[in-house]
Amino acid sequence: MVKQGAWGSLVPKSPVDEGIAGQGRRKFLGVAAAVMAGLMSVSGTAQAENLPGIDVANKEVRVGAFAPITGPVPFYATINHAADAFFRDLNERGGIQGWKVKYIVRDDGYDPAQSLAVTRRLVEDDDIFALVASNGTATNVAVIPYTRSKNLPVIAPSGGSPKIIAQPHMFPLLPDYALSSAASAQYALDVLKKQKIALIWENDELGRRAKFGLELFLKSRDLAPTVDVSFDVATTDLSAQIQRVAASDAEVVLLFGSNAHLASALRAAERISWKGEWFAPFFTADPSTYELTGKLLDGVYFSSWLLPVDSDREQIAAYRDVVPKYYPNDRLGVFGLNGWSAASLFVLAFDKLISSGQALTYENMIAVMNTLDGVSAGAADKVTFEKGDHRGTRQEAMIRAENGKFIVAQDFRPYPEVVFKTVAK
Amino acid sequence: MLPVIWQGIVTGCLYSLGALGLVMIFKSSRMVNFAHGALAGLGAFLVYALTAGGASWPWTAAVAVALAASILVSVLVYFVIAPLLECSDTTATIATLGIGMVAQGIILWQFGSNIFRLDLPLPNVSASIFGLSVTLYDVTVLLVTLAVVGVLFLVIDRTRLGISFRAASTDPFAGRVCGLSITRVHLFSWIISAILGVIAALLIVPTTFLSSTTVTTFMLQAFAAAVIGGFDSLPGSAIGGILVGVGCNLFSFYVAPELLNSFLLVFILFSLSCFPGGILSKRMGSRV
């Protein structure tokens, strides 16, 4: 379907063009009026058919995403594979009240400049109703001005940044890492009864937010990290950082980096026989981390907004069944579960929008998203959005690695209030 | 402080092995092989594919195949580079950048950008000696480095090929006049370099894991070790590796790990200012 705006841009505007056109303008206007009248008579719902991303005749809604299919992190595209599998499975089972979802994923190579171009193409050429599980933090931040100018709903972008949370049209599931580090520290203090906490953090937005959250939370308990030591994202050997942690007499270490960094740190700790409790971010609670670490991962805790991939919950069991049918080469894990939950959130809200009987517009979709209160979306629990507060995930579970599996050590609990309130500001 | 120095020595041994591979080629042909890391990484990936990556070969057979394949690749690369080497050393050096990219491309094509685990087939044993935790891995790295360096120096010192290598690296023209085959000497240095590279890569990946970039990144530190050693001194680069390993570890522990790359550059500048010809160079005089 082509929008009127797109036609408008094709009409010649120069005086020369107008001069030539002027001779037959009356004739042209007459023909145009006749065509328009004909179209109106064919369908009385011309207004509805022009809704972006909505094909009323075929009962189809188009949604899209940019994803790093090529570039430095092609495995992140697993997120979008899982979302796609969710939609395809849903369509085969009858869709959302008879509505089918068409999911269009385009490659941005994990380059924020490309993400913007791809989003523009998705909106202006593919004519989408919403972005669902658009991939990456920096890439999602890059499209904020454009998507905001279009008021395009961005559902569950897989990026964790306060800038995303602050947008009225974006509905992230990923929490600010400040909340995860605070939740980890709370568990270490209150459940494990450990006082001396060290932090090893990746020297970028991920690590900086974790440091902010940890320091803020510990300050509220009149404590401070025994040591905090950073590393560059390209670092492959964390021996020096572990030596610093060991020298600080810490009992607990929070490591905010990738699964390769966690594996390297666990190895380094083993080499100097340092023993302590470990906490890592949710996305490292993945079978791929076990492949790198082996048994060293046993006992590591993960503060996570997603239930583990081994969970018995029906939606997670469905994820384990469905994704291999469409993407047999994809590993089952946190990335896929993330995309599965994103697609689930969209379907939940779209279903609610159809049931409300309101027009299927961007504005109404955003309004419906703002009414979600304590819903379960895939592997995420008690997801809530309200106008002016898009901290979708408001609590996390504590997951523990044990004998090659990930089990829930503590059920979902609200984030520490002092950090949760600060993030909202 | 002792554990920090110990870890530095172990890592430094690996830098030494990497640096020796770079220096072997530089000594014989006056060019820097920037593909050294990527080619060594290719060898490590071959071992991974034949063992943990699915084929389940015995470790020794996999290493033998990887070494043979690396030798073959290095001979092929040398014959690609040789005509350029006759044009100029710089042209050949730049060509190695391209070869490194091709090697990295092959890794990405076959294995993607994922990270893999490749452990040495060693039992997980450690002991505490004077309060220092020493693992079997640490001891293996030390012993293998000592053995490899020992054999290398014996070959260069005692064998006919080694003597030819020394003669050609000291004065290629005089060597040619005396009837030495420069191509043979070059091939000798490329093959030894390939073997050193694969051994270094296999020893480093248990701590850094294996990806398309890990061995190349590691070789940058080895490059620093070679520079500190003077780039044309084999004993100098071996000592340079240990100095870089210990220096980097001490700096990371006492100052700031995030400034490690800056430290490395300052370390190179300082070392070159004090010892322009490398740490083991003799002070040369000149007559006016």
Side-chain angles (χ1 to χ4, degrees):
Chain A
M1 184 185 298
V2 181
K3 291 185 291 177
Q4 284 177 337
W7 281 112
S9 67
L10 295 174
V11 173
K13 294 284 188 210
S14 73
V16 176
D17 290 335
E18 289 215 347
I20 295 164
Q23 294 171 6
R25 182 173 289 156
R26 279 190 184 175
K27 195 177 173 185
F28 169 77
L29 287 174
V31 171
V35 169
M36 286 300 289
L39 285 173
M40 293 292 279
S41 67
V42 169
S43 168
T45 55
Q47 179 71 32
E49 282 189 6
N50 283 333
L51 293 172
I54 300 292
D55 182 349
V56 176
N58 296 314
K59 286 192 98 175
E60 183 182 82
V61 55
R62 281 182 299 279
V63 294
F66 46 82
I69 295 165
T70 61
V73 283
F75 53 94
Y76 281 8
T78 314
I79 293 173
N80 304 88
H81 291 173
D84 185 48
F86 184 98
F87 290 134
R88 284 162 73 175
D89 178 62
L90 181 86
N91 290 343
E92 279 182 20
R93 290 187 291 106
I96 317 161
Q97 298 185 34
W99 282 75
K100 301 284 167 70
V101 182
K102 186 176 178 188
Y103 190 45
I104 306 160
V105 180
R106 295 205 180 277
D107 182 26
D108 69 348
Y110 211 54
D111 174 2
Q114 283 298 316
S115 315
L116 181 58
V118 165
T119 305
R120 197 181 280 273
R121 190 173 163 199
L122 283 166
V123 171
E124 292 171 16
D125 295 346
D126 298 321
D127 186 31
I128 56 166
F129 180 69
L131 279 176
V132 178
S134 43
N135 207 317
T137 298
T139 46
N140 269 299
V141 169
V143 302
I144 287 175
Y146 176 74
T147 51
R148 192 166 178 175
S149 73
K150 296 281 177 188
N151 203 27
L152 177 76
V154 182
I155 314 296
S158 54
S161 164
K163 285 177 192 160
I164 294 173
I165 293 171
Q167 301 307 315
H169 67 296
M170 293 178 115
F171 300 88
L173 286 174
L174 253 72
D176 187 333
Y177 290 108
L179 296 167
S180 295
S181 66
S184 302
Q186 187 179 42
Y187 189 83
L189 291 177
D190 298 346
V191 180
L192 302 178
K193 307 290 180 199
K194 307 282 185 190
Q195 298 282 312
K196 296 173 183 168
I197 301 175
L199 175 71
I200 303 177
W201 53 286
E202 189 174 292
N203 194 1
D204 60 11
E205 180 78 359
L206 161 74
R208 270 194 291 275
R209 293 306 297 171
K211 184 171 185 283
F212 170 75
L214 177 68
E215 286 175 346
L216 192 67
F217 175 72
L218 289 182
K219 199 175 168 194
S220 73
R221 301 278 187 100
D222 291 326
L223 291 168
T226 57
V227 66
D228 79 81
V229 51
S230 68
F231 61 88
D232 183 75
V233 69
T235 302
T236 51
D237 183 3
L238 294 181
S239 305
Q241 283 80 353
I242 290 297
Q243 297 272 13
R244 291 266 291 262
V245 169
S248 77
D249 213 18
E251 303 164 297
V252 174
V253 59
L254 270 59
L255 186 141
F256 274 76
S258 72
N259 59 354
H261 294 129
L262 174 62
S264 173
L266 286 167
R267 281 284 173 93
E270 191 199 25
R271 275 177 69 191
I272 61 164
S273 303
W274 183 80
K275 298 239 183 295
E277 302 290 350
W278 288 80
F279 286 82
F282 80 92
F283 57 83
T284 56
D286 190 87
S288 64
T289 312
Y290 255 117
E291 286 175 18
L292 292 178
T293 60
K295 286 192 164 200
L296 287 178
L297 196 66
D298 282 349
V300 176
Y301 291 97
F302 310 86
S303 184
S304 174
W305 61 278
L306 286 167
L307 278 166
V309 71
D310 306 310
S311 164
D312 294 332
R313 180 187 278 203
E314 196 182 333
Q315 292 208 44
I316 300 174
Y319 159 73
R320 291 196 298 265
D321 288 342
V322 170
V323 169
K325 281 185 204 161
Y326 298 99
Y327 294 95
N329 296 327
D330 278 12
R331 277 185 188 149
L332 293 176
V334 175
F335 286 107
L337 214 47
N338 190 343
W340 186 263
S341 306
S344 165
L345 181 68
F346 170 78
V347 169
L348 213 122
F350 193 71
D351 186 35
K352 201 171 174 185
L353 177 59
I354 298 169
S355 300
S356 72
Q358 295 183 64
L360 306 178
T361 61
Y362 288 174
E363 292 74 22
N364 289 339
M365 182 67 180
I366 288 172
V368 165
M369 285 298 299
N370 276 327
T371 63
L372 296 182
D373 186 8
V375 298
S376 291
D381 238 6
K382 298 200 172 60
V383 176
T384 302
F385 295 102
E386 51 193 292
K387 201 169 181 182
D389 185 356
H390 283 189
R391 294 168 299 172
T393 317
R394 301 185 175 213
Q395 48 182 358
E396 284 193 344
M398 195 58 68
I399 289 173
R400 193 177 135 97
E402 245 178 59
N403 300 322
K405 298 261 179 193
F406 297 94
I407 57 150
V408 178
Q410 178 184 270
D411 210 355
F412 282 93
R413 277 184 57 172
Y415 289 114
E417 205 168 324
V418 58
V419 184
F420 191 59
K421 279 184 180 165
T422 310
V423 168
K425 287 175 194 163
Chain B
M1 190 173 181
L2 201 59
V4 181
I5 293 175
W6 168 248
Q7 290 295 328
I9 291 171
V10 174
T11 317
C13 284
L14 300 167
Y15 294 152
S16 299
L17 285 179
L20 283 171
L22 289 167
V23 171
M24 280 297 291
I25 289 177
F26 185 79
K27 268 181 85 74
S28 75
S29 45
R30 296 284 136 190
M31 60 169 282
V32 181
N33 179 16
F34 282 116
H36 190 51
L39 291 172
L42 206 56
F45 263 103
L46 190 55
V47 174
Y48 170 77
L50 294 175
T51 55
S56 304
W57 282 30
W59 179 268
T60 41
V63 172
V65 169
L67 283 174
S70 295
I71 289 169
L72 191 69
V73 168
S74 72
V75 171
L76 281 175
V77 170
Y78 171 69
F79 282 117
V80 171
I81 294 282
L84 302 172
L85 198 55
E86 281 179 20
C87 295
S88 86
D89 308 338
T90 319
T91 312
T93 298
I94 290 169
T96 62
L97 283 172
I99 287 166
M101 283 177 175
V102 171
Q104 212 159 348
I106 291 171
I107 294 171
L108 282 169
W109 170 46
Q110 284 300 313
F111 300 94
S113 55
N114 292 334
I115 299 160
F116 303 96
R117 175 182 166 198
L118 180 62
D119 289 338
L120 297 177
L122 295 171
N124 194 6
V125 179
S126 65
S128 186
I129 303 166
F130 303 119
L132 196 70
S133 177
V134 179
T135 62
L136 190 57
Y137 167 77
D138 297 339
V139 177
T140 309
V141 168
L142 270 181
L143 291 180
V144 170
T145 307
L146 284 174
V148 167
V149 171
V151 169
L152 179 66
F153 280 77
L154 267 179
V155 167
I156 288 174
D157 217 35
R158 299 288 161 86
T159 65
R160 212 178 158 76
L161 203 54
I163 293 165
S164 307
F165 169 76
R166 279 191 289 149
S169 60
T170 310
D171 192 334
F173 178 73
R176 197 175 278 135
V177 168
C178 293
L180 288 179
S181 163
I182 297 296
T183 306
R184 249 181 93 195
V185 171
H186 281 177
L187 274 174
F188 166 74
S189 64
W190 275 82
I191 288 170
I192 295 288
S193 171
I195 294 170
L196 289 170
V198 173
I199 294 173
L202 290 176
L203 290 175
I204 190 72
V205 288
T207 55
T208 62
F209 300 100
L210 186 59
S211 78
S212 59
T213 53
T214 42
V215 184
T216 310
T217 311
F218 153 77
M219 283 300 173
L220 289 177
Q221 324 267 358
F223 185 81
V227 171
I228 288 165
F231 229 106
D232 62 353
S233 160
L234 290 170
S237 60
I239 295 169
I242 307 283
L243 283 180
V244 168
V246 174
C248 285
N249 250 28
L250 285 173
F251 181 85
S252 294
F253 186 79
Y254 288 107
V255 189
E258 56 268 41
L259 294 176
L260 194 61
N261 287 337
S262 312
F263 164 75
L264 209 55
L265 289 172
V266 172
F267 192 34
I268 291 172
L269 278 175
F270 176 77
S271 159
L272 287 180
S273 306
C274 296
F275 311 101
I279 43 174
L280 294 185
S281 68
K282 293 180 186 129
R283 286 190 178 276
M284 302 293 282
S286 60
R287 292 187 180 186
V288 183

